[in-house]
Amino acid sequence: GESVGLHLPTLSVQEGDNSIINCAYSNSASDYFIWYKQESGKGPQFIIDIRSNMDKRQGQRVTVLLNKTVKHLSLQIAATQPGDSAVYFCAENPNNAGNMLTFGGGTRLMVKP
Amino acid sequence: KAGVTQTPRYLIKTRGQQVTLSCSPISGHRSVSWYQQTPGQGLQFLFEYFSETQRNKGNFPGRFSGRQFSNSRSEMNVSTLELGDSALYLCASSPGTGQDTQYFGPGTRLTVL
């Protein structure tokens, strides 16, 4: 993902709708990907992860899709709730000898009641 | 299980000073990673410690250093502070078995005047 500084892309959705947040990653050697949610004044919170031997993984109300061909990740949130309002980051770990995350620039999700 | 804790939560320093930040990982986790978050550069990896050894290092100047103790607690130090060092410093812990899920603390907000 590209860093966009202060001007985060924003996705505005109606409560109850589904949300899709997209992310392009940079390193074709990356084999582990994570989505984090960050609320104001807090550290990033783990949502879901996926390894490169999968193209889809589901959690509770969330699904991550991985397209290695075009180096693209997406996070789908079903039945979006006001509590889902936050900044969402994708991260890739290109290092199989430890933890060294490269983060995308983030997307702000705003849920309208 | 208690989460990742970071102290202090807020810090104000002046240019030229040095600062030490502390991180206590989740019990049983052996890997601690540090990240810097700024509006302009986003989330950037500083370094990772595992078993008291630096296992990975990001692209930051030598003024940024860290260490890990035998109980897995970690500290990071920034010497000769610059205005641009103002940021949220985040610590993340993980079991340390390789590419595993990192859990973040709330961060230390450093302001350099």
Side-chain angles (χ1 to χ4, degrees):
Chain A
E2 297 287 325
S3 174
V4 292
L6 287 168
H7 304 288
L8 287 175
T10 299
L11 175 65
S12 186
V13 301
Q14 205 68 40
E15 181 179 358
D17 286 352
N18 297 333
S19 303
I20 299 177
I21 300 171
N22 296 302
C23 175
Y25 64 92
S26 56
N27 190 338
S28 55
S30 291
D31 54 2
Y32 180 51
F33 306 89
I34 313 101
W35 280 98
Y36 286 94
K37 169 187 178 184
Q38 187 174 27
E39 297 173 285
S40 182
K42 297 183 178 179
Q45 175 189 350
F46 171 83
I47 301 173
I48 192 168
D49 58 1
I50 188 168
R51 298 197 184 266
S52 59
N53 59 352
M54 304 173 70
D55 52 22
K56 180 179 179 179
R57 191 162 188 230
Q58 289 184 289
Q60 188 176 16
R61 280 202 309 118
V62 293
T63 301
V64 55
L65 298 177
L66 174 63
N67 185 329
K68 297 180 285 292
T69 303
V70 294
K71 294 192 288 185
H72 184 267
L73 269 176
S74 68
L75 176 71
Q76 301 177 1
I77 305 174
T80 314
Q81 302 168 1
D84 295 327
S85 294
V87 177
Y88 289 80
F89 294 95
C90 65
E92 58 184 298
N93 190 351
N95 187 331
N96 61 12
N99 296 298
M100 184 175 166
L101 296 177
T102 300
F103 281 84
T107 296
R108 186 180 306 280
L109 176 65
M110 297 177 60
V111 183
K112 296 176 286 187
Chain B
K1 209 181 228 186
V4 178
T5 57
Q6 292 186 244
T7 56
R9 292 293 313 279
Y10 302 91
L11 207 47
I12 300 175
K13 292 285 187 178
T14 55
R15 277 180 298 175
Q17 287 186 309
Q18 72 165 15
V19 67
T20 299
L21 312 181
S22 180
C23 172
S24 292
I26 292 170
S27 178
H29 285 190
R30 296 170 63 196
S31 165
V32 173
S33 298
W34 289 90
Y35 294 82
Q36 181 195 65
Q37 186 174 27
T38 60
Q41 299 299 318
L43 276 150
Q44 292 186 292
F45 172 78
L46 280 155
F47 28 67
E48 179 201 12
Y49 285 86
F50 175 75
S51 290
E52 302 178 64
T53 301
Q54 188 179 87
R55 182 159 68 174
N56 287 292
K57 186 178 187 308
N59 190 25
F60 276 81
R63 297 186 300 106
F64 292 82
S65 63
R67 59 178 174 167
Q68 187 179 34
F69 302 94
S70 58
N71 61 357
S72 295
R73 190 177 69 85
S74 176
E75 290 181 346
M76 68 163 279
N77 184 76
V78 188
S79 62
T80 319
L81 284 166
E82 301 176 0
L83 295 179
D85 297 332
S86 294
L88 181 68
Y89 289 89
L90 292 157
C91 161
S93 82
S94 68
T97 52
Q99 289 173 313
D100 41 26
T101 305
Q102 293 184 61
Y103 297 91
F104 283 83
T108 294
R109 171 73 62 188
L110 171 65
T111 302
V112 182
L113 303 175

